[in-house]
Amino acid sequence: MVLTGWTTITAYLAFSLSALSVTLAFPLLSGRVRRSVVRNTGVLGYSRGNGDDDSSAERLPLSDSDMKRLSDLRSRHEVIPIMILDSMLPGQRLQFGSEDPKFEKMVEFVLQEDVEIGMIGMNPYTGKPLNMGVTLPVQSQSVNRDPRSDMLTISAQGQRRFEVQGEPWKDDTGSFYLADVEIVEHRIEELTEDQRKAAEHLSSIVPEKVEEWCECVITAGKSDLEGIKMRMMSIGPMPEDVGERAIWLASLLNPLPPLGVCLEIRPAMLACRNDFDRIQLATSAVQSSIDHLSGKRKLF
């Protein structure tokens, strides 16, 4: 049985975020606040031996599929600057800036090296930085300077989901942090046949739930029809793919700027293990938001 509503969303928020525990430690860009991030890692074993001496280890043969997975894993790794500001999802747009010269150094690096910025947010339960985030492509035309305040601003749209690997380190100028990240968009995920069928069913009811949610938002006076249309235009059309549809729904429920009609689920969405978890979290969230707006069960 697939649960929906309050019980499931609170359970998923707690479960998903509990996996984001701590081995990374680095300050925010400003250098004034120090945070910690924890991550759980798995180890790919390919040798065995007696003791810790690698010379005595016996090499295990790798199949062609093993070699392909290793090659795919290497190709998914990138080194990019990391910012701690807000949890974002692919498709969401954020404008941010700073007068700090260190921020300008990071922007110069991004444009010169043609790399993306990695944006991560805070775990709402622990107040510590997450190790999951999205990349933000930055183009020169999206970078502006306010002549009055000399503030440098960027407008960027979330693109690819990633997971930080290991501990970040400072760039050569000591201005910002770099990190090795794994792009997880096409990471192989475990999904049982029952979960696949359940995920497809939940995905099929999303259009109906979105229509109901929009009506509740307008009736509750949280937005007008034009505002809803603008928010939907900003994240694009509803995808057909189950996982992408779940992320799209989460972006609608937790928009930038916030609408204040749903619990924050973006960090948990980034931490989900597979498409079944994503679509169950998203559909539970939209149902709980509908219940909140209708007065059936208040969230806050």
Side-chain angles (χ1 to χ4, degrees), residues 240-298:
E240 292 294 330
D241 178 79
V242 172
E244 292 177 6
R245 178 170 289 190
I247 292 172
W248 179 91
L249 181 53
S251 298
L252 180 64
L253 297 172
N254 291 152
L256 294 170
L259 191 57
V261 298
C262 182
L263 294 176
E264 174 61 83
I265 66 168
R266 291 175 299 170
M269 181 61 68
L270 291 171
C272 284
R273 302 165 301 177
N274 54 44
D275 286 349
F276 172 72
D277 287 351
R278 293 183 188 100
I279 196 66
Q280 185 161 15
L281 173 61
T283 51
S284 299
V286 72
Q287 184 61 59
S288 67
S289 181
I290 290 170
D291 293 343
H292 169 74
L293 290 166
S294 66
K296 183 177 179 179
R297 181 161 191 172
K298 291 293 186 180

Side-chain angles (χ1 to χ4, degrees), residues 1-4 7-8 12 194 198 201-202 276 280:
M1 178 178 66
V2 177
L3 298 176
T4 58
T7 303
T8 301
Y12 262 93
D194 287 344
H201 168 69
L202 290 173
F276 172 72
Q280 185 161 15

Side-chain angles (χ1 to χ4, degrees), residues 13 31 39 47 56 64 69 73 89 100 112 120 131 146 164 166 172 191 194 202 205 242 277 297-298:
L13 287 172
R39 60 182 303 273
S47 65
S56 66
D64 291 341
R69 287 190 179 187
L73 182 61
L89 296 174
D100 193 331
Q112 291 173 3
I120 59 178
N131 66 329
D146 187 328
V164 178
D172 292 340
L191 199 67
D194 287 344
L202 290 173
I205 67 174
V242 172
D277 287 351
R297 181 161 191 172
K298 291 293 186 180

